[in-house]
Amino acid sequence: QVQLVESGGGLVQPGGSLRLSCAASGFTFSSAAMSWYRQAPGKERELVARITSVGGISYADSVKGRFTISRDNYKNTVYLQMNSLNLEDTAVYRCNAAWSVLATVYDSWAQGIQVTVSS
């Protein structure tokens, strides 16, 4: 059974930091591309950061230089280090895993975790 379990969200003041974690099980983590998405109220879902199985990384322009995605294939966990948080970073963040088996592509989503930036 595929599971993605997030942790690390919460309330933080502007300029603060948080680290999100997403622990995976039920699939070959090292072969999966892992991504963080977010969705704020009234806004479309946004791809925040992605790290491929071979370590290729990409970020949304809005978070470049502030957020860092990383993965630990021994712990089957992907992280999102978020620094210099601002009000616009307030959203529900969701971890996504995407992998293929033969010719079939699979993906799975975590339940979502709230990040609130407020003074």
Side-chain angles (χ1 to χ4, degrees):
Q1 181 182 0
V2 175
Q3 270 197 315
L4 297 172
V5 180
E6 298 162 325
S7 60
L11 175 64
V12 63
Q13 291 186 339
S17 298
L18 283 175
R19 188 176 82 154
L20 303 182
S21 300
C22 176
S25 59
F27 62 98
T28 305
F29 179 80
S30 60
S31 299
M34 300 299 297
S35 303
W36 288 97
Y37 288 78
R38 68 184 180 185
Q39 189 164 18
K43 293 188 177 181
E44 293 187 354
R45 186 174 63 195
E46 175 187 25
L47 174 60
V48 175
R50 172 172 286 154
I51 183 166
T52 70
S53 59
V54 294
I57 290 174
S58 58
Y59 296 99
D61 288 342
S62 58
V63 307
K64 280 180 182 176
R66 301 188 298 121
F67 289 12
T68 303
I69 189 170
S70 61
R71 65 190 299 160
D72 185 334
N73 288 342
Y74 294 102
K75 295 182 178 180
N76 287 358
T77 300
V78 63
Y79 305 98
L80 186 67
Q81 177 67 44
M82 305 185 293
N83 299 329
S84 302
L85 286 161
N86 58 55
L87 300 179
E88 289 70 38
D89 296 316
T90 296
V92 174
Y93 286 71
R94 295 183 75 188
C95 169
N96 172 270
W99 69 96
S100 61
V101 178
L102 299 179
T104 303
V105 177
Y106 299 88
D107 79 327
S108 182
W109 292 89
Q111 77 282 2
I113 193 165
Q114 180 69 45
V115 171
T116 301
V117 184
S118 175
S119 56

